[in-house]
Each structure stands twice: as structure tokens, then as C-alpha cells.
Amino acid sequence: KIYTSPYPSLSFPRESLYTFLFETHWNDHLPTTAAFIDASTADVITRAELKQTTLALAHGLRSELPHLGGVSLERGDVVMIFSPNNLAFPVSLIGGIAAGLCMSLASAAHTPRELEHQWRDCQAKAIIVHPSLISVALKMFESLDLSLTEAKRRIVVIDWMSRDTTKQKFAEYICMSDLLGKGSLQEEEQFPGHLAEETAVLCY
């Protein structure tokens, strides 16, 4: 037996989540409105800053990453985010969506074995990692029989909005800041009509 909802059917927009938020409904709120607030630090990113930063990160992920020795990412490729809550998390997620990537979110409590399962299952090509979780990611790559050199090609270390010396500590890695300030997409990757059915987020 099929149980139907007593509420009317929903009509979903035939466009990407990014287009829906930052184009179709951009004028719903002022650009200076806070998009996200970090409760632990009181840092704020406005809607205008979020749009600017995510388009810059999208450009970095698609165009700059291979120039820095990282893997080449194409539309539809899966990228994992392995991080606790912080302002870089939504920037990474929304920036990846703007780049046309499929983002797979991993719990910050994952063990290397759990992370490995998700990596294999979602067929990820790269991982955006918080500095505190680098050791877990490296153990995962070790169990995947990837060399340290090859692992570093697939890791982007989160150092954006960091108040410490993350960049100096992880100078041998590609960091999020390396992908920013190198240009910006003029517009997000488009997913009109039936293309709006493509998967944007894989949650585990």
C-alpha cells in the first residue's frame, strides 16, 4: 500500500542549488546579510562574501588544483569534505557545487577505516581536510596503497579563516588558500532542466 502525503505536491526548481540560492533568490536578502556565523569565534561571512569566495574556490578546484600538482577535477567528479563545523565547511561545500562537483560529506569522527569505506563507495577523487584530521586521511590513503606523494595530490588542507599557522605547518600540501585569489568563475556550472536531477551531495 502506498501512503500519500496530505500536503500538496512540491514543485522543485529545475536548476542547480547554487543557481537557486545565488541567482534566482539572490534579491531575497541584502548581500550584507550574514550567511553563516561561527558560534565559537563569532566570525561572520556575508552572503556577498560567500558568493565571491565560493566562485573563487570553484575556479581554484577546477583550474588551479592541477597546476599546483593536484588531481584534475571535472564536472561530476566526487570530492569529500572531512572537517568539523567551521566557516570553511559551507564555503567548501557550496564552492564545490558551483564548480559542478558532487560533494560527499564525511563525519569528523570517522576512523581511517570508515573514511576508506566512504572514499571507495563514493569513488572520490580528492578530499578537503581540516588540519586536525590530516593524520586520519593519511592513514586512509596508506590503507589504499597510495604513496604519500600521490595522497598529497588528492588532499586540500583547510587553512581559510584560520587564526594559526596552518599554512606554514602544511607548506608541503595544497591548501585552500592556494586555490583562492587566482581568479573566479564568472558564473557557476549550469544544471538547467533535466540536468538539475544530477547528484550534488552524497551524505554518509
Side-chain angles (χ1 to χ4, degrees):
K1 180 177 171 120
I2 297 175
Y3 294 89
T4 58
S5 171
Y7 299 99
S9 297
L10 295 175
S11 177
F12 293 97
R14 310 298 289 172
E15 59 192 1
S16 76
L17 177 61
Y18 195 96
T19 302
F20 180 79
L21 291 174
F22 294 97
E23 294 298 334
T24 305
H25 288 276
W26 177 248
N27 292 323
D28 288 1
H29 303 280
L30 291 173
T32 53
T33 303
F36 293 99
I37 303 171
D38 189 325
S40 63
T41 63
D43 288 332
V44 176
I45 182 169
T46 66
R47 295 179 73 245
E49 290 168 338
L50 183 63
K51 183 177 182 179
Q52 178 185 23
T53 307
T54 52
L55 287 175
L57 180 60
H59 169 80
L61 288 168
R62 290 290 298 273
S63 300
E64 298 300 324
L65 187 60
H67 294 158
L68 295 169
V71 293
S72 179
L73 298 173
E74 304 294 335
R75 176 183 171 124
D77 283 342
V78 178
V79 174
M80 288 174 62
I81 301 177
F82 186 38
S83 171
N85 288 336
N86 54 68
L87 286 184
F89 191 102
V91 169
S92 300
L93 172 62
I94 299 170
I97 292 173
L101 304 170
C102 177
M103 307 306 290
S104 184
L105 313 181
S107 168
H110 269 355
T111 64
R113 184 175 179 182
E114 290 168 329
L115 197 64
E116 178 188 352
H117 166 75
Q118 182 170 338
W119 177 274
R120 291 182 184 274
D121 192 59
C122 72
Q123 301 179 44
K125 289 188 67 176
I127 183 169
I128 301 172
V129 190
H130 190 270
S132 64
L133 299 172
I134 286 289
S135 61
V136 180
L138 289 177
K139 287 178 182 176
M140 175 199 71
F141 283 121
E142 185 179 344
S143 57
L144 288 169
D145 291 327
L146 286 180
S147 67
L148 180 59
T149 299
E150 185 59 31
K152 287 179 178 178
R153 294 186 64 238
R154 300 174 183 277
I155 291 174
V156 174
V157 179
I158 293 173
D159 67 333
W160 182 77
M161 292 289 285
S162 175
R163 295 169 186 258
D164 57 21
T165 56
T166 298
K167 177 61 181 171
Q168 288 75 23
K169 292 177 184 175
F170 295 92
E172 72 275 21
Y173 288 85
I174 300 169
C175 290
M176 195 170 173
S177 62
D178 295 323
L179 303 178
L180 296 170
K182 306 287 180 64
S184 177
L185 296 185
Q186 293 302 306
E187 62 178 19
E188 71 280 6
E189 191 82 13
Q190 299 292 309
F191 290 85
H194 72 280
L195 295 177
E197 301 293 332
E198 292 189 25
T199 303
V201 181
L202 285 172
C203 297
Y204 281 72

